Amino acid sequence: MTFHQPYQVIGFHSCDREVGLRMVNGDDHLKPSDHPWDWLGPGIYFWEDNPYRALTYAVDCAQNRQKFAGQIKTPFVIGAIIDPGLCLNLMEPGSIRIVKEAYKILKTEAEISGAPMPSNNGANRSLDCTVIKSIHKLYKGKDRSVYDSVRSPFPEGDPIYDQANFTAGLHIKICVINPSRIKGYFLPQPLGKFNPWLNNDFTPRKDYTPRKD
C-alpha cells in the first residue's frame, strides 16, 4: 500500500457552463467517469494546477475534437480543492511497484484463461484502465477501493525541441475516487482568461485556441 498524502492540491475540471455553475453554487456534485479512455480508472478527473489545459480540453470537447461522454455546449472550467488522502501516486516508487505487479498478475491470469489482454490504442487506454481497476479490486474496502485518488504525469504531445524529454502537453492528472476528498469548488481567476464565456455565448471556430498570456 502507499501512504496518505499530507497535503492539498488544486485541480481544474473541464465541463459545460451549466454544470460548472451548479457545482460552484452548491446545487450538485460531479459524477465519476468510467470509460475505456479513463486511463487512471473510474473517478472524477482534474488537471492539477493547470486551468489553461482544462479550458483547452473543454473547447476541444465543445468542437468534437476530444472524447467526452457528455456534451459541452459552452466550455467552462471550475477549480477544486482536493485532499488526495490515500493516493496511488505514480510519481513515487511504491505506487509504481504496485501498478507493475498488478500488470504481471493480470497478464498471468489472461495466459491461464486464454482471454485476450486489453490494449492501449490511441485515446482508448483500456490496458491502463484495466490495470488500475484490478488494483482497486485487490485493495477493496467495504464498498469501494481503499484508495481515495490516483495521480500521474502524462507526457502528451510532441517534444518541444529536438531530443527534448519535455512535451507540449505535459501535465499531471488526478482522478478522485472518494468524492468526500473534494473540499470545495471555485471559479479560477482571472475570470476573463479561464472562463471567457461566463457571460457570453460560445461560437465554435475551427482555428480557436484559448489565449495563454
Side-chain angles (χ1 to χ4, degrees), residues 7 40 43 58 74 106 117 128 140 148 151 156 161 173 183 189 194 198-199 203:
Y7 55 81
L40 298 180
T74 304
L106 198 67
M117 279 286 284
D128 294 339
K140 190 171 178 61
D148 296 304
R151 181 173 179 253
E156 185 181 38
Y161 53 82
K173 268 289 184 68
K183 302 306 179 182
Q189 299 288 334
F194 297 122
L198 176 61
N199 298 305
T203 302

Side-chain angles (χ1 to χ4, degrees), residues 12 14 37-40 44-48 53-54 57 87-91 125 150-154 156 171-176:
F12 296 91
S14 313
W37 59 84
D38 292 332
W39 59 294
L40 298 180
I44 304 168
Y45 279 71
F46 296 89
W47 309 87
E48 184 174 322
R53 188 66 185 86
Y57 181 77
C87 180
L88 187 67
N89 185 355
L90 298 180
M91 289 184 285
R125 303 183 182 100
V150 183
R151 181 173 179 253
S152 180
F154 188 72
E156 185 181 38
H171 61 268
I172 297 173
K173 268 289 184 68
I174 183 163
C175 171
V176 177

Side-chain angles (χ1 to χ4, degrees), residues 145-164:
S145 171
V146 297
Y147 283 106
D148 296 304
S149 61
V150 183
R151 181 173 179 253
S152 180
F154 188 72
E156 185 181 38
D158 297 324
I160 59 176
Y161 53 82
D162 187 36
Q163 300 181 39

Side-chain angles (χ1 to χ4, degrees), residues 23-99:
M23 300 307 125
V24 295
N25 288 331
D27 297 328
D28 205 349
H29 299 283
L30 290 174
K31 307 296 189 295
S33 177
D34 187 3
H35 301 95
W37 59 84
D38 292 332
W39 59 294
L40 298 180
I44 304 168
Y45 279 71
F46 296 89
W47 309 87
E48 184 174 322
D49 291 325
N50 200 338
Y52 175 79
R53 188 66 185 86
L55 180 58
T56 58
Y57 181 77
V59 170
D60 284 347
C61 290
Q63 303 194 109
N64 298 315
R65 297 196 300 233
Q66 284 279 4
K67 283 183 175 293
F68 191 75
Q71 183 180 23
I72 292 182
K73 295 179 179 178
T74 304
F76 204 72
V77 176
I78 57 173
I81 301 168
I82 302 165
D83 174 1
L86 188 61
C87 180
L88 187 67
N89 185 355
L90 298 180
M91 289 184 285
E92 57 92 17
S95 293
I96 294 292
R97 184 177 64 253
I98 289 170
V99 174

